[in-house]
Every structure is written in C-alpha cells, then in structure tokens.
Amino acid sequence: MKMPRKTVLIFLAATIVAGCGARDDDVTLTRIRNTGNGPDEFSIIPGKPLQAPEDMSALPVPTPGGSNRTDQNPLADGVAALGGNPAAVNAQAPAASNGALVNHANRYGGTPGIRQTLAQEDREIRRSYGRVNVLRILPGDDYVQAYRRDWLDAYAEERRLRRRGIVTPASPPPPEG
C-alpha cells in the first residue's frame, strides 16, 4: 500500500516541528549527562568524620541552614593541600599582599562586571547554537561546534607576531605536514 506523497511530507514536517519544540531555554553544550535512574556518584560528597571538641564551651552557636564543621569544602581543602590559605577561598576581594599583582593586571584598564557580561554572552551563544543544531547531525562535542569560530589559530598568530618583529621564543614547533 503506497501513501500519497503529500501525506508523507505533512508527517515529516510535523515530526520536524515537534522535535524543535522539545528544547528548553538552557542549552547544554556537552553531551555528558546522567541518564540513569540512580544517583550521580560524582555528586555525592561524604562528610568529614565527627570529632569531639576539646572544650564544649568553645563551640559556635548553631546557624540553621549554615555550614557545618563536617561539611566538605573541596576547593579550600585543595588550597590547603597545596600550601595555601584555605580562608582565601571565601575572600570577596584580593588580599592586600596581592596589590602589585592586581595593579599590574589592571594596567590597561578593566571592565567592571565582566563575569556577568561573559555569562550573558555565553547564554546567547548557547541559545542561538541550540536553535541551529536541533537534529545534532554535526559530529563532536557541541561546545566545540558552538565556539569553533572564536578559536585562535596559534600558528597564524605566531606568524603575525614574527612579521611585526616580536620574538616568540616559547612557541611550539610548527605542525607536521
């Protein structure tokens, strides 16, 4: 039994339109997802072991919803393991001892609110890319496909700098072939 060509085209168009409507606004760019029914084993962080304090009167006042002494803080633990100050992780502003570094980094000026600006631009790129690649027919990671036009060609940049007389002693060797 043969279906009329017009019916097949209508079904095909309806399928494509239905597939386009299934996306939500937050388009994720990587394909690493927890698709199982169980917990994500990488999101579970066991608590630190309980310890009895030396002086019961020195215990802090409980704060409902606040942090706990047995809560893990992987970032601060990593800083401490590398010999740094774990309290610096929670600092809102750079330490005074880093004043020279901050001044050097800001020597050409800085943009206040740059993180919020970049986050908004990234959302727009992900949203626009998600509309284009609805069928996921392109190979590779979605992040790579979305940001490919923004990549820096290191060898072209090296040639440009050398033409201007800028020395690039730490540049990698040219690609083979």
Side-chain angles (χ1 to χ4, degrees):
M1 183 167 167
K2 188 174 179 183
M3 290 182 83
R5 186 176 187 170
K6 189 174 184 180
T7 307
V8 172
L9 290 176
I10 290 173
F11 280 131
L12 181 63
T15 303
I16 290 173
V17 170
C20 292
R23 284 195 171 244
D24 45 354
D25 285 340
D26 187 23
V27 179
T28 56
L29 292 179
T30 59
R31 295 183 183 173
I32 300 172
R33 293 184 179 93
N34 180 18
T35 58
N37 293 333
D40 183 5
E41 60 272 10
F42 295 108
S43 68
I44 300 171
I45 301 176
K48 294 179 182 177
L50 295 175
Q51 297 175 349
E54 293 179 14
D55 183 12
M56 294 292 180
S57 63
L59 289 174
V61 176
T63 55
S67 63
N68 189 331
R69 296 175 73 172
T70 62
D71 290 344
Q72 292 281 9
N73 188 346
L75 188 58
D77 293 344
V79 168
L82 294 172
N85 179 5
V89 172
N90 298 327
Q92 297 297 322
S97 60
N98 293 331
L101 176 65
V102 171
N103 289 337
H104 185 72
N106 286 327
R107 68 188 180 278
Y108 300 118
T111 306
I114 188 66
R115 291 177 189 234
Q116 292 80 10
T117 303
L118 290 175
Q120 177 62 30
E121 290 173 359
D122 180 57
R123 270 193 299 277
E124 291 302 318
I125 287 172
R126 288 185 289 129
R127 193 171 293 130
S128 66
Y129 180 78
R131 288 188 199 116
V132 173
N133 194 17
V134 172
L135 300 176
R136 301 272 187 236
I137 57 176
L138 299 174
D141 191 9
D142 294 339
Y143 187 86
V144 171
Q145 297 296 331
Y147 283 99
R148 176 165 278 160
R149 67 175 184 220
D150 296 325
W151 285 359
L152 174 67
D153 181 359
Y155 298 106
E157 183 65 12
E158 175 189 26
R159 288 190 298 273
R160 184 186 74 83
L161 292 173
R162 286 188 176 172
R163 278 195 304 268
R164 295 181 76 194
I166 299 172
V167 180
T168 57
S171 101
E176 305 253 343

